[in-house]
Amino acid sequence: MYNYLIIFVCFMSFVAADNSLPEDFTKCRQKDTKLNECLKAAVPDALRRMKKGIPSLSVPQMEPLHVSGINIESGAGPVVITQNYRNIALHGLTDSVLTSYKADLKNYRLRTDSITPKMEFIADYVMKGRILVLPIQGKGLANITMVNLVVKHDLIGEPVQRDGETYMHIRDYRVKFIPQRVLLHFSNLFNGDKRLGDQMNLFLNENSDLVFNELKESYEKSLSTVFQDVTNKIFDSVPMNKIFLED
Ligand SMILES: *[C@@H]1O[C@H](CO)[C@@H](O)[C@H](O)[C@H]1NC(C)=O
């Protein structure tokens, strides 16, 4: 009986060390002439199966996805605001679909375009600065909602050899955000002055293209780091030929 237990324990640790994608993920074959088509369907399907995370791969919960914080120092231009976001929750990522996929596995490069019908960025915020000629300051809850958000992802990877296996580590993850519409709401602006706060929220939404464009790069930079971390949770622990099957 005792021997059986030891064998069982050894077997379990062997399984844990030999990471692979969860059973229910669709796997695509490297040699498939329709590899891109396969990935275009498999990746958003995997994302939906990751809503609660994957504990065995340390993949965090994806719906909502929690991000600790973002600091934005906006320089010159019409929008000069120092913003600090904490306890960020991103809702809606798992509803994304992919409109194109280009896998260049020989060069460890993946390019894909996604569209997210509604991505809500909810966070505690502190901000201070000015927009055009108007001063703005506040501390409360922010809701930045992007409608029909197109994201262009460019993943630049490199092979990493470990224990006789090749892993595709993503060393650079670039994103571009192209939302069709951005809705902004900041609670408790101007120390809770309701009239000033309502006016500013109205003003921000009337000028949301301008406001978003000034802040876009900071959001892109912060979120690309988040996407890179999540991707590498999988890519650094599952060998490349178990993500993109060799035969
Ligand atoms: C955020 O704003 C969007 C658009 O106005 C709204 O649909 C959504 O319910 C808001 N979310 C929260 C948590 O307030």
Side-chain angles (χ1 to χ4, degrees):
M1 179 60 203
Y2 190 57
N3 277 343
Y4 278 119
L5 191 65
I6 290 176
I7 290 167
F8 182 69
V9 170
C10 289
F11 181 67
M12 287 304 287
S13 49
F14 174 72
V15 169
D18 182 44
N19 272 324
S20 45
L21 290 181
E23 283 286 311
D24 59 355
F25 278 30
T26 306
K27 276 81 171 184
C28 301
R29 299 184 179 280
Q30 294 195 21
K31 291 201 183 103
D32 186 346
T33 51
K34 294 204 173 83
L35 172 66
N36 288 325
E37 287 301 307
C38 179
L39 290 168
K40 201 171 125 182
V43 173
D45 183 62
L47 201 54
R48 271 183 274 288
R49 294 173 193 278
M50 283 158 55
K51 278 187 183 173
K52 296 201 165 80
I54 309 170
S56 65
L57 296 174
S58 310
V59 172
Q61 171 191 326
M62 297 298 291
E63 197 59 70
L65 176 62
H66 292 283
V67 181
S68 56
I70 299 182
N71 289 321
I72 299 176
E73 298 277 343
S74 169
V79 181
V80 183
I81 317 177
T82 305
Q83 299 173 82
N84 177 282
Y85 294 98
R86 287 286 167 270
N87 304 318
I88 302 160
L90 289 176
H91 298 262
L93 272 177
T94 62
D95 294 328
S96 303
V97 294
L98 301 185
T99 52
S100 85
Y101 208 107
K102 283 192 194 126
D104 177 4
L105 297 177
K106 278 196 187 66
N107 293 303
Y108 305 93
R109 183 104 178 233
L110 304 171
R111 267 171 285 199
T112 181
D113 293 348
S114 64
I115 179 157
T116 308
K118 188 171 159 192
M119 180 149 102
E120 284 178 41
F121 174 108
I122 312 287
D124 295 327
Y125 82 92
V126 180
M127 73 161 127
K128 193 172 168 51
R130 67 171 173 75
I131 294 180
L132 300 175
V133 296
L134 301 176
I136 180 169
Q137 57 103 355
K139 180 177 190 298
L141 200 63
N143 176 348
I144 302 169
T145 296
M146 290 170 253
V147 180
N148 290 332
L149 172 66
V150 171
V151 183
K152 294 184 170 293
H153 308 249
D154 189 356
L155 292 72
I156 300 156
E158 63 193 2
V160 171
Q161 311 291 340
R162 195 164 10 98
D163 300 330
E165 299 277 10
T166 303
Y167 295 83
M168 178 171 164
H169 175 73
I170 302 301
R171 71 173 151 78
D172 195 7
Y173 195 128
R174 299 176 190 163
V175 300
K176 286 270 163 254
F177 283 176
I178 308 157
Q180 184 187 57
R181 203 149 57 95
V182 180
L183 304 164
L184 304 136
H185 189 266
F186 294 91
S187 77
N188 203 49
L189 284 166
F190 306 108
N191 304 314
D193 184 317
K194 183 163 164 33
R195 197 181 53 88
L196 283 180
D198 287 352
Q199 277 176 9
M200 180 51 83
N201 275 306
L202 203 60
F203 178 81
L204 290 174
N205 284 288
E206 279 167 356
N207 296 281
S208 64
D209 285 352
L210 170 76
V211 174
F212 185 77
N213 270 320
E214 292 296 320
L215 307 174
K216 191 168 100 92
E217 223 172 283
S218 306
Y219 291 137
E220 288 170 345
K221 225 186 253 162
S222 310
L223 295 184
S224 65
T225 308
V226 174
F227 294 165
Q228 181 178 9
D229 288 348
V230 171
T231 309
N232 277 332
K233 285 270 190 288
I234 297 176
F235 282 26
D236 287 345
S237 46
V238 181
M240 186 174 176
N241 63 10
K242 286 188 184 169
I243 299 175
F244 310 97
L245 303 183
E246 259 173 350
D247 280 303

